[in-house]
Amino acid sequence: MTILFIGDGSTTLYPADVVGAKAANLAHMAALGLPVPPAFILPVELCAAITKGEPGARKTMVEGLDAGLKFLERATGRIFGDRRRPLLVSVRSGAARSMPGMLDTVLDVGCVPAAVRGLIRMTGNPHFAYDCRRRFLESYGDVVLGIEAALFAVPLASLAAAEDEAQEQDLDSEALERLAATYQQIVEDHGSCADDPRDDLKAAAEAVYMSWMSERACAYRKIEHLEDLQGTAVTVQAMVFGNYNVRSGAGVAFSRNPSTGDAEPVIDVLFGSQGEDVVSGRRNPQSEDAITRLLPAVDAELRTALKRLEQEFRDVQDVEFTIEDGKLWLLQTRSAKRTPRAAVRFAIDFVKEGLIAPAEALQRLDGVDLTRLAHQKLVDAGAPVARGVGAAAGIATGRVAFDSPSATRLAADGDPVILVRPNISTADVSGFAAGAGILAAVGGRTAHAALVARQLGKPCIVGCSELEVDPSHQKARIAGNDIHEGDWLSIDGGTGEIYLGHGQISTEESKAELDEIARWKNATALQERA
């Protein structure tokens, strides 16, 4: 097995079926000279051996991790788990085809007690150090040990309430130290100490490989007809920190709007956070304006990078980024998941801009349901009762379901379904597939689950502050109105507007776009006959 490196000065490009699409694109960005943290990759070929428990597979993985750590320590000048200049790493998945949010990630690996002291010594910032420690314990507990998220969420919420703070990032360093100690006890109660950095790294890498066989990953591959994929690679990358200080944050950027097809970038950011805070859908991010106000030079650099990546890959890009103390780092790029309407708009615009030929545009639209291009609007729906953030354009009306099994059951009865959740999560992918639309109280338009909703062509609204959801009791409240399972709800994923009751949907054909596609087909047919 060959270990592959990113950040060693090489401009070598790797095939996605060997290293996964995520690592292949990381190497491509590094070769372009864009700011990418150093990394190494355990290849896809090891995945099947690990998941099947083949003899020698784990030994091969450990040898690869040891060799890769030596490279990262040389590249960063830091030592993994050190008490003076500690190196922390992320452990990420990556199949040959993008599977957003379906596989696991472990962040801040190496943040053992000695490394916490090292981070404080190195940065003079105990708030940052203890935040990394509690983040690692939560990530490790979730992915490696399978600890329920609620066991971490409850003490966090209790501490925030006791400290009279609305958000976790507002907790002071002493509170975060206590929270980390509570998380440590939870982890120990589940049979692990999580205080040996190399053992933690081995367990994290193995868990990421094993996530290939998770229920949500298997369901997604079935829905998207990706059963022929051979597995995931594991990318181990030096951490950069969006939670470092007030000039730090994490976000997601699209080079064009993946919901509407508009040519302007869509950028979400959370300052004082790490990437999972944004893509998990558990928090409401800020828009690009927040970066422009605080770090205008970073915003300009990000926009330039988006344009360059779009030109290089000749497609709309979905980019994950981190800002550490005012410096931009790019962690991922991939072709953006998009609604059918956006797919057609992108194809037409790219042909006009000379990026692709009409024949390639037609290939990209193969499989896109052109009947979904019709302009839809709600009729006789009354006034909207609330508004959220439109994450996937389109109109949907249906009966309310509060979890994926209920959505599947109600859909089987023949009625359309609106899946209503506290936040959007890729764990709900089967409910997405069964539903006609998705509504969530919390989350951003760039969260992984919003990407999946767009890919499936499902109207989606997120970040609705007037929505309170209690899935355990199968009920919700929106703008003072009680909602129960089976009630009718209507949503407009373009405007973010929410309506009570069963609205009627009117459609109007998108003649201009269909005429343009017809012209391409005629021209291509003439060329083939010539």
Side-chain angles (χ1 to χ4, degrees):
M1 181 188 71
T2 303
I3 306 302
L4 304 171
F5 303 100
I6 297 171
D8 59 353
S10 171
T11 57
T12 301
L13 302 182
Y14 303 120
D17 59 351
V18 173
V19 301
K22 184 179 295 181
N25 288 349
L26 273 178
H28 202 141
M29 288 195 294
L32 292 173
L34 294 170
V36 175
F40 68 90
I41 306 108
L42 304 179
V44 171
E45 68 179 83
L46 189 55
C47 183
I50 290 290
T51 57
K52 293 176 182 176
E54 293 182 4
R58 195 169 188 278
K59 180 175 182 291
T60 300
M61 181 190 76
V62 170
E63 290 172 349
L65 292 172
D66 289 342
L69 277 180
K70 291 178 182 177
F71 162 71
L72 289 183
E73 289 178 341
R74 290 195 305 270
T76 63
R78 299 181 183 182
I79 299 173
F80 189 56
D82 189 50
R83 62 187 179 88
R84 292 187 179 277
R85 289 187 55 79
L87 167 69
L88 272 57
V89 301
S90 61
V91 183
R92 302 178 184 270
S93 59
R97 294 276 299 278
S98 177
M99 296 175 57
M102 298 299 155
L103 303 173
D104 284 331
T105 293
V106 186
L107 299 181
D108 301 291
V109 180
C111 196
V112 294
V116 172
R117 294 190 291 274
L119 288 174
I120 295 172
R121 180 181 284 113
M122 188 170 68
T123 67
N125 188 346
H127 184 280
F128 161 65
Y130 286 112
D131 190 44
C132 288
R133 174 62 174 167
R134 67 98 183 173
R135 286 175 179 274
F136 163 66
L137 290 168
E138 183 175 4
S139 182
Y140 187 89
D142 172 27
V143 174
V144 177
L145 302 179
I147 299 174
E148 291 184 13
L151 289 181
F152 295 107
V154 169
L156 172 58
S158 298
L159 181 60
E163 297 290 316
D164 196 24
E165 298 291 359
Q167 301 183 76
E168 59 196 69
Q169 64 265 37
D170 295 328
L171 294 171
D172 62 25
S173 58
E174 187 273 336
L176 286 174
E177 183 178 7
R178 284 188 282 128
L179 184 62
T182 300
Y183 282 9
Q184 176 69 40
Q185 187 60 56
I186 293 170
V187 167
E188 290 179 1
D189 289 345
H190 285 77
S192 175
C193 291
D195 59 2
D196 183 309
R198 289 185 179 266
D199 285 348
D200 295 343
L201 179 59
K202 296 169 192 174
E206 186 170 2
V208 171
Y209 269 133
M210 293 301 295
S211 71
W212 181 253
M213 300 307 297
S214 70
E215 182 178 348
R216 71 177 185 268
C218 292
Y220 182 83
R221 289 198 296 275
K222 183 176 181 180
I223 291 168
E224 290 299 308
H225 308 292
L226 299 175
E227 291 96 337
D228 60 335
L229 292 180
Q230 298 303 302
T232 180
V234 169
T235 298
V236 180
Q237 189 169 37
M239 283 289 300
V240 288
F241 300 99
N243 61 327
Y244 183 71
N245 58 20
V246 295
R247 289 165 42 85
S248 304
V252 177
F254 293 89
S255 58
R256 305 189 190 206
N257 191 311
S259 177
T260 66
D262 291 345
E264 272 296 299
V266 170
I267 300 173
D268 281 352
V269 68
L270 272 171
F271 284 101
S273 72
Q274 293 188 356
E276 285 299 300
D277 297 334
V278 182
V279 301
S280 68
R282 294 193 298 264
R283 290 174 58 186
N284 293 333
Q286 297 170 281
S287 68
E288 181 185 7
D289 290 343
I291 308 176
T292 305
R293 288 193 302 270
L294 183 62
L295 300 167
V298 170
D299 183 60
E301 183 183 1
L302 177 58
R303 277 182 164 255
T304 299
L306 290 174
K307 187 171 183 179
R308 186 175 184 190
L309 288 169
E310 187 176 273
Q311 294 282 329
E312 181 72 18
F313 289 98
R314 299 184 311 115
D315 199 2
V316 177
Q317 293 299 292
D318 166 6
V319 176
E320 294 183 19
F321 65 91
T322 287
I323 306 166
E324 180 182 292
D325 196 22
K327 177 174 174 55
L328 176 69
W329 294 95
L330 304 182
L331 304 183
Q332 175 170 302
T333 192
R334 58 187 167 200
S335 292
K337 308 299 183 187
R338 59 205 69 179
T339 63
R341 172 166 296 282
V344 171
R345 179 80 176 270
F346 294 158
I348 290 173
D349 287 350
F350 275 36
V351 169
K352 289 179 178 177
E353 294 167 21
L355 279 175
I356 61 175
E360 183 173 349
L362 289 172
Q363 289 178 348
R364 292 188 180 187
L365 294 177
D366 185 36
V368 173
D369 183 0
L370 297 182
T371 64
R372 301 293 296 274
L373 296 186
H375 291 283
Q376 295 182 322
K377 63 180 180 180
L378 281 167
V379 179
D380 298 329
V385 295
R387 185 189 298 268
V389 177
I395 303 292
T397 184
R399 294 191 181 277
V400 169
F402 294 105
D403 54 42
S404 292
S406 298
T408 302
R409 172 174 48 80
L410 287 174
D413 291 338
D415 283 330
V417 175
I418 303 294
L419 180 64
V420 179
R421 298 291 292 156
N423 56 64
I424 51 171
S425 166
T426 53
D428 295 318
V429 64
S430 60
F432 288 10
I438 301 131
L439 172 62
V442 178
R445 55 194 172 165
T446 56
H448 279 151
L451 272 62
V452 175
R454 286 193 286 274
Q455 184 179 19
L456 297 176
K458 309 287 182 165
C460 179
I461 297 174
V462 298
C464 179
S465 60
E466 295 176 90
L467 173 65
E468 300 174 20
V469 185
D470 182 359
S472 62
H473 292 93
Q474 299 287 293
K475 65 180 182 178
R477 189 170 178 82
I478 182 165
N481 298 279
D482 291 328
I483 306 293
H484 300 91
E485 182 182 295
D487 289 347
W488 284 91
L489 207 62
S490 301
I491 64 172
D492 185 332
T495 64
E497 293 173 334
I498 303 152
Y499 302 80
L500 298 177
H502 186 179
Q504 301 301 310
I505 302 174
S506 71
T507 60
E508 181 181 335
E509 190 177 71
S510 300
K511 191 172 185 303
E513 289 95 337
L514 293 173
D515 286 348
E516 183 72 7
I517 294 169
R519 282 193 291 271
W520 293 345
K521 290 179 178 179
N522 290 336
T524 301
L526 288 173
Q527 290 174 358
E528 290 175 350
R529 289 198 295 267

